[in-house]
Amino acid sequence: MDAFQIIGPVMIGPSSSHTAGAVRIGRLARAILGEQPLRAEILLHGSFARTVRGHGTDRALVAGLLSFDVADERVREALELAPREGLEVTFGEKDLGDVHPNSVQLNLEGREGKVQVEASSLGGAQVVVNKIDAFEVEIYGDLPTLVAAYPDRPGVIAAVAALLAGVGVNIAGMRVSRREAGEQALMVVETDQAIPPGLVPAMRALPMMERVIQIDPV
Amino acid sequence: MTRYNFQSMAELLQIAADEGLTLAGVVIRYQEDLEGKSREEVRRAMGERLAVMRAAARKGLHEDIRSPSGLVGGGGKLLEERRLAGQSLCAATTARAIALAMAVAEVNASMGRVVAAPTAGSCGILPGVLLALEAEKGLDEDLLIDGLFAAAGIGMVAAGQASLSGAALGCQAEVGVAAAMAAAAAVEMTGGDAVQAANAAGVALQGLMGLVCDPVGGLVEVPCVMRNAMGAAQALVAADIALAGVQCYIPFDEIVAAMVQVGRALPPELRETGAGGIAACPTARKLARQIGIKTLDKDSLQENLSVASPGIP
């Protein structure tokens, strides 16, 4: 327990789950895309869809996509600022199935690529990313996180662990999932220390590595 | 782990007694050890939060603000004008506290910058009580920072034993706990001891036991903003009761446990779903429709709830 979790966070209102949490989801989604999105389709589910305007969830998600912080007063103007930043946003509703009531799917497109992210706001500004494209993940955004996609073959986990150990970064948590044995696999690694520059390029240079995403804490 | 670690009010009071400290004193030392920082650093960090509270209070009292839905804004300003005109029925400190609390809660509703204390929905109560005591009793900045640490101690105990979310336990867990925090802060800032502070927290939470979370349209506006003013007044009442030497009898830890039991017994429509209580009044539904919010009734809520209630820290 931390005294500043009780007297804090400093945030833009009105709701830690529907506003601050939504800003964090936007920031995480942008980090997962790895660049400023040019186009964003935002599909709201459940409670997010019902109270979107009154809670400013729409502004908050877009503010996050623009990299604004949860305490940035520009959150309120994010919808007006987006076009000026070259971001085109559309909103819709979607039933995402058996997920938390405060959930959203973001379909992002940047200069380099595109990605589909599903995330939920759990309350008290805590969030979790549930899905990146077809992969189920569990990313909270509190710790530096690496996401790696590769064909499911022996040795990849050891190689990544060795790279991290080599730069003195401790692994706080690691989760590996795959669709089927031998198919594409996805690794999510949370670390105690910041991810030093050079580590992600080194991971990308590993044989068979298809995609590496770095997500700094938000 | 630091020797200032506490899980309950009983432990917090024991450490305070053993070390000859106030509640604030224990929490400051706990936080120093937790972060590996100096006393000055953790106090400065709390001072920065106090500055955000002050800025929000100024904005809410003096600027024309309105929530995106249009339902709230300007109430704190009206209360302040009435106070300045000498028309308040409440005495000086309370009159200030309710204007400040409402103003800060309105800043939150209009997407301004606030400090969640302990939540965004209850963010007006601590600044209301602290800044009112500063103005009326001449308390200095250091004392206010101490007050925030004392309040944090109460909130940490409550958060460890219960959820602080209206969706989980109703408004008692937000406005109720915020009032308990502010009551304890008020006691310590004005010279009461740790036991009296804990008593005040208990009196405040007892008084708000069972308070439901029933926001119109699911927004943090009606009745949330006014409940912040009520909570600030309750905190001052509880502080006076404790400082007068009246016993609370029931230990704070047991009151928190009772709050959890009561919260769990609340039906879902009274836990931040916008489907019960004030939110279910015909006028509330009409207002929600006017601002474009789809409200749930009790039956459609049942279907929605097959998809789990939020698990909140």
Side-chain angles (χ1 to χ4, degrees):
Chain A
M1 191 78 59
D2 183 327
F4 295 112
Q5 283 172 350
I6 302 296
I7 311 295
V10 175
M11 55 171 274
I12 299 302
S15 161
S16 55
S17 55
H18 287 67
T19 319
V23 173
R24 293 191 68 223
I25 287 175
R27 286 173 62 97
L28 284 172
R30 177 187 172 138
I32 291 165
L33 179 67
E35 57 178 318
Q36 148 103 38
L38 300 174
R39 257 181 298 284
E41 183 191 26
I42 299 177
L43 301 172
L44 301 151
H45 166 96
S47 170
F48 260 18
R50 283 193 304 112
T51 63
V52 55
R53 249 181 303 162
H55 277 137
T57 306
D58 47 358
R59 298 155 195 266
L61 287 164
V62 172
L65 292 175
L66 296 173
S67 278
F68 296 173
D69 181 76
V70 293
D72 192 324
E73 285 188 307
R74 291 175 299 169
V75 169
R76 199 188 158 118
E77 280 88 47
L79 293 179
E80 294 76 39
L81 292 172
R84 279 184 247 164
E85 301 282 328
L87 169 61
E88 182 194 316
V89 189
T90 55
F91 287 94
E93 283 184 34
K94 187 174 181 181
D95 185 347
L96 298 175
D98 190 12
V99 296
H100 190 282
N102 296 335
S103 293
V104 59
Q105 181 185 91
L106 300 110
N107 296 302
L108 305 182
E109 210 179 313
R111 215 171 297 277
E112 307 286 323
K114 53 185 186 177
V115 72
Q116 183 178 83
V117 176
E118 277 186 34
S120 305
S121 183
L122 304 174
Q126 304 249 16
V127 301
V128 60
V129 174
N130 306 309
K131 239 173 153 185
I132 299 177
D133 293 330
F135 280 98
E136 299 203 353
V137 294
E138 208 173 297
I139 297 169
Y140 292 94
D142 297 320
L143 292 171
T145 305
L146 291 163
V147 181
Y150 54 94
D152 181 26
R153 304 269 189 282
V156 180
I157 296 172
V160 170
L163 278 177
L164 285 163
V167 289
V169 170
N170 191 47
I171 295 175
M174 182 185 251
R175 193 156 165 256
V176 178
S177 56
R178 62 183 187 191
R179 273 174 283 194
E180 271 177 66
E183 294 268 313
Q184 200 192 36
L186 197 84
M187 180 195 317
V188 177
V189 184
E190 290 180 322
T191 64
D192 286 324
Q193 292 83 18
I195 294 157
L199 185 79
V200 168
M203 276 177 71
R204 287 192 179 127
L206 289 173
M208 295 190 299
M209 193 58 82
E210 287 168 6
R211 187 171 165 196
V212 180
I213 300 164
Q214 174 180 346
I215 306 169
D216 294 325
V218 299
Chain B
M1 194 27 109
T2 157
R3 68 190 161 110
Y4 298 104
N5 190 33
F6 56 90
Q7 305 291 329
S8 63
M9 184 63 84
E11 287 176 19
L12 175 53
L13 286 173
Q14 190 62 54
I15 300 168
D18 291 347
E19 308 276 335
L21 293 168
T22 57
L23 299 185
V26 177
V27 177
I28 291 170
R29 280 170 175 76
Y30 168 83
Q31 194 66 26
E32 285 171 39
D33 290 355
L34 181 74
E35 295 191 68
K37 287 185 178 165
S38 72
R39 187 178 181 75
E40 288 65 36
E41 284 174 304
V42 298
R43 289 184 66 91
R44 196 179 317 124
M46 195 59 96
E48 285 164 12
R49 280 164 169 70
L50 181 61
V52 175
M53 290 178 173
R54 281 189 200 286
R58 226 177 359 254
K59 190 181 175 89
L61 285 183
H62 304 298
E63 292 178 25
D64 288 318
I65 54 169
R66 206 79 209 164
S67 65
S69 74
L71 286 181
V72 298
K77 201 175 167 204
L78 285 173
L79 275 173
E80 181 68 355
E81 283 161 15
R82 188 173 160 79
R83 182 187 76 81
L84 289 170
Q87 294 169 329
S88 288
L89 301 182
C90 294
T93 307
T94 313
R96 260 193 210 270
I98 61 175
L100 284 159
M102 189 179 270
V104 172
E106 285 172 331
V107 168
N108 178 61
S110 27
M111 300 193 79
R113 188 191 283 137
V114 297
V115 185
T119 61
S122 59
C123 69
I125 293 169
L126 260 180
V129 169
L130 264 63
L131 299 178
L133 286 169
E134 176 187 45
E136 294 296 333
K137 305 291 175 195
L139 306 185
D140 67 19
E141 174 92 1
D142 277 342
L143 218 40
L144 295 193
I145 290 172
D146 282 341
L148 286 175
F149 278 109
I154 305 297
M156 289 159 80
V157 167
Q161 300 178 15
S163 162
L164 300 186
S165 136
L169 297 177
C171 192
Q172 55 173 356
E174 299 205 25
V175 162
V177 170
M181 290 163 60
V187 167
E188 280 205 342
M189 289 190 304
T190 56
D193 63 25
V195 173
Q196 287 174 319
N199 254 324
V203 171
L205 193 52
Q206 264 183 8
L208 291 157
M209 181 74 44
L211 192 62
V212 302
C213 182
D214 50 357
V216 173
L219 305 181
V220 194
E221 304 194 9
V222 180
C224 321
V225 162
M226 271 183 252
R227 280 196 187 141
N228 272 264
M230 307 300 290
Q234 291 250 26
L236 288 167
V237 173
D240 259 341
I241 289 175
L243 286 166
V246 182
Q247 280 302 308
C248 176
Y249 290 113
I250 313 297
F252 185 75
D253 292 319
E254 293 183 31
I255 298 172
V256 172
M259 179 184 83
V260 173
Q261 293 305 314
V262 169
R264 286 188 184 147
L266 290 176
E269 57 264 33
L270 298 178
R271 285 188 268 123
E272 206 179 329
T273 50
I278 295 300
C281 295
T283 303
R285 292 194 180 286
K286 200 172 119 200
L287 286 169
R289 269 197 307 278
Q290 280 169 6
I291 54 181
I293 288 172
K294 289 169 237 163
T295 52
L296 295 175
D297 58 23
K298 231 174 118 180
D299 297 331
S300 54
L301 179 64
Q302 289 309 321
E303 293 165 29
N304 266 259
L305 286 176
S306 57
V307 206
S309 205
I312 286 127

